[in-house]
Amino acid sequence: MQSVHSIYDKRLRPLDGFIHGIIYVCASISILLLAGIVTYVAYHGLSSIRWSFLVTVPSAIKGTFGIAGNIVNTVYMILITLIISVPFGVGAAIYLNEYAKPGKLVSLIEFTTETLSGIPSIIFGLFGYVFFGQTLKLGYSILTGALTLAIMVLPLITRNTQEALKSVPETYRSGALGIGATKWYMIRTILLPSAMPGIITGIILSIGRIVGESAALLFTAGSGYFLPKLGKYGEGLFQKILQPGGTLTIQLYLSMEKGEYEAAFGIAFVLLVLVFGINRLTKYLAHKLDVNK
């Protein structure tokens, strides 16, 4: 009986083995770099992590230094930026991928999106300060910073959503339309759930940029570190949006500028933990929403 040979049974050539070795070395270096950065920051920052460091704000009178206000400001910035940018980014991707006919308009939109993603963040900060802060009279506020960051992460969300939609098999579209479903119903119930892991990936990358941004926020959000005052009916939570609010990265920059290295490494460690926690949460949601699993 003739044996069946598979392409996987073929012996690797020396060059293939060499290339595989290079790939594994590159992957190992990436892992070691990440582990090294995390270990170095943790080694220098863990000594600063105390309960008072996490739940208080700086006070010259009390002689305390804490980052509670900066943590709250960072959460505000993430939530407001995503609330603004995700609907626009996903909507633009749906239009470009499912409704727009290939042509000059689509090419112009895609070119504009790619150009936006390459603009330095300091220029976004200057634009946000002049347009949102001065022209719209929002001043230095969390809302000004969030609007500026929304423009920054919009290309990231749009491009990732486009690629996620393109990865959905064409048979899903033709099958749904063939049984009489409307186009919007097909997009809402089939395409978006199928593309959700890719969309979540874009959101994760956007969160990373939001959390790590400092240059643009220096011009727009300011460096306020106070906690929101709740008020009688919780109205302080909404009033905080129109007040200056320095994120963790802003406080990290200011601490380094003042030579407060121990506090800076403590903030850096909190940032790493925050980003890791958000990434795990979004990946968990992506897994729950993945209809292809």
Side-chain angles (χ1 to χ4, degrees):
M1 183 177 179
Q2 188 177 3
S3 61
V4 179
H5 296 282
S6 169
I7 59 173
Y8 299 105
D9 296 332
K10 293 183 178 180
R11 186 172 55 185
L12 291 177
R13 295 175 296 177
L15 180 60
D16 294 333
F18 177 72
I19 297 299
H20 282 182
I22 292 178
I23 292 173
Y24 284 117
V25 168
C26 292
S28 301
I29 290 175
S30 300
I31 296 172
L32 289 174
L33 283 173
L34 176 61
I37 292 173
V38 173
T39 302
Y40 185 82
V41 171
Y43 176 77
H44 289 85
L46 274 175
S47 59
S48 301
I49 304 300
R50 296 178 295 274
W51 183 246
S52 60
F53 181 74
L54 300 175
V55 299
T56 60
V57 296
S59 175
I61 298 176
K62 298 179 181 179
T64 60
F65 178 83
I67 58 172
N70 302 111
I71 294 175
V72 172
N73 292 338
T74 302
V75 174
Y76 264 102
M77 199 67 68
I78 293 172
L79 293 178
I80 297 173
T81 302
L82 292 181
I83 288 172
I84 297 170
S85 60
V86 170
F88 283 102
V90 174
I94 292 174
Y95 169 75
L96 291 173
N97 203 70
E98 304 299 328
Y99 288 99
K101 296 180 180 180
K104 292 183 179 180
L105 178 60
V106 173
S107 300
L108 177 63
I109 295 174
E110 291 181 344
F111 173 76
T112 304
T113 303
E114 293 171 359
T115 303
L116 275 175
S117 63
I119 295 177
S121 59
I122 196 75
I123 297 179
F124 281 107
L126 181 62
F127 170 79
Y129 169 76
V130 173
F131 183 71
F132 298 120
Q134 299 296 316
T135 305
L136 299 184
K137 308 296 184 182
L138 295 176
Y140 285 100
S141 65
I142 291 176
L143 182 58
T144 303
L147 288 169
T148 304
L149 291 182
I151 300 175
M152 293 177 61
V153 303
L154 187 61
L156 195 59
I157 295 175
T158 301
R159 296 300 294 173
N160 275 274
T161 303
Q162 270 191 281
E163 294 303 319
L165 291 172
K166 289 177 181 178
S167 67
V168 178
E170 192 64 32
T171 52
Y172 286 23
R173 296 172 173 84
S174 57
L177 296 175
I179 61 175
T182 62
K183 191 165 188 176
W184 171 240
Y185 184 82
M186 178 266 295
I187 292 172
R188 180 167 55 86
T189 61
I190 296 176
L191 290 191
L192 287 179
S194 299
M196 192 56 65
I199 297 173
I200 295 294
T201 299
I203 294 175
I204 292 174
L205 295 174
S206 300
I207 291 174
R209 185 163 190 185
I210 294 167
V211 172
E213 187 55 50
S214 59
L217 295 180
L218 280 172
F219 286 118
T220 55
S223 57
Y225 50 77
F226 297 107
L227 290 167
K229 297 180 180 178
L230 296 181
K232 186 176 181 181
Y233 301 103
E235 64 273 10
L237 293 174
F238 299 97
Q239 293 173 355
K240 179 65 178 176
I241 297 173
L242 299 176
Q243 298 172 1
T247 60
L248 287 168
T249 49
I250 297 296
Q251 188 59 51
L252 173 60
Y253 167 77
L254 295 176
S255 296
M256 287 294 294
E257 192 177 40
K258 297 174 183 177
E260 299 170 349
Y261 300 116
E262 185 178 353
F265 275 107
I267 297 171
F269 181 75
V270 173
L271 269 171
L272 288 177
V273 173
L274 179 63
V275 171
F276 178 78
I278 292 174
N279 284 354
R280 294 306 304 169
L281 176 61
T282 49
K283 284 183 179 293
Y284 171 78
L285 294 176
H287 177 73
K288 286 294 184 180
L289 296 172
D290 187 5
V291 298
N292 300 314
K293 63 182 179 180

